[in-house]
Amino acid sequence: MSAFVSIYGIVTMISDFWTGSDAASGCYKLMTVQNTDGNVVNFVITPTTYFVYHTIISVGDPVIGFYDANVPVPLIYPPQYHAIVMARFTQDQNIKVDFFDSQLVSSDGTLKLTIGPATQIIQENGQPYTANPANKNLIAVYGASTRSIPAQTVPYMIVVMCPLTS
């Protein structure tokens, strides 16, 4: 099971990332992010990295990036993580990437989703998701939440991270 971890910061550089294949040239990017403490991380952006609202990120943008803490990373500085989800950070929205159980409670028990009539539920490709989103990895985009434990919210959008099959 994935363990999603987030990092917030300002994009300081975006460059091409060489994968060793001319066929993939230009398809991979290295996004350097610096947090408020001055720490720097690199996110490897791949063709499968999901950008919330399909937003184009530029140098100087505040972003939040999510990676899977269970995936091995090279022991280099600055740390380099494979970005699963990236989003431009705004004050009026929160983003949570996590596994949500049958009651739509996140795996860390901090957030419970309540689907409202205006909640948009989609797949990563932008198409409507018509099944029950419970027991899946989800990207929840929401505003205000209660101060209860877990916090409860009616999300603006839920993106279902459908598993890839062959």
Side-chain angles (χ1 to χ4, degrees):
M1 177 156 49
S2 297
F4 298 103
V5 176
S6 66
I7 295 177
Y8 166 81
I10 304 295
V11 177
T12 59
M13 186 172 67
I14 301 172
S15 59
D16 285 334
F17 182 75
W18 176 250
T19 63
S21 167
D22 284 337
S25 179
C27 295
Y28 292 76
K29 301 289 182 192
L30 195 63
M31 187 178 290
T32 303
V33 174
Q34 183 174 16
N35 72 9
T36 54
D37 294 331
N39 297 321
V40 174
V41 301
N42 286 325
F43 281 111
V44 176
I45 308 298
T46 71
T48 60
T49 301
Y50 181 79
F51 283 80
V52 175
Y53 295 121
H54 301 287
T55 303
I56 296 174
I57 304 292
S58 302
V59 171
D61 286 344
V63 296
I64 185 165
F66 295 86
Y67 67 93
D68 185 349
N70 292 332
V71 173
V73 296
L75 293 174
I76 58 173
Y77 182 83
Q80 185 171 293
Y81 304 111
H82 170 86
I84 306 294
V85 176
M86 295 295 295
R88 182 179 292 138
F89 180 81
T90 62
Q91 296 289 0
D92 59 341
Q93 77 178 14
N94 300 295
I95 298 171
K96 175 100 174 155
V97 179
D98 205 344
F99 178 84
F100 287 81
D101 68 13
S102 62
Q103 302 299 311
L104 292 177
V105 175
S106 62
S107 68
D108 61 6
T110 62
L111 185 65
K112 179 178 180 4
L113 306 178
T114 302
I115 297 173
T119 301
Q120 181 184 21
I121 305 174
I122 61 172
Q123 299 174 58
E124 290 175 284
N125 63 10
Q127 298 304 302
Y129 184 81
T130 55
N132 184 349
N135 295 311
K136 301 234 181 330
N137 288 325
L138 304 176
I139 304 166
V141 180
Y142 61 99
S145 63
T146 65
R147 293 181 183 226
S148 60
I149 299 175
Q152 297 181 39
T153 189
V154 178
Y156 307 134
M157 179 174 69
I158 296 172
V159 181
V160 179
M161 300 171 72
C162 295
L164 299 175
T165 59
S166 51

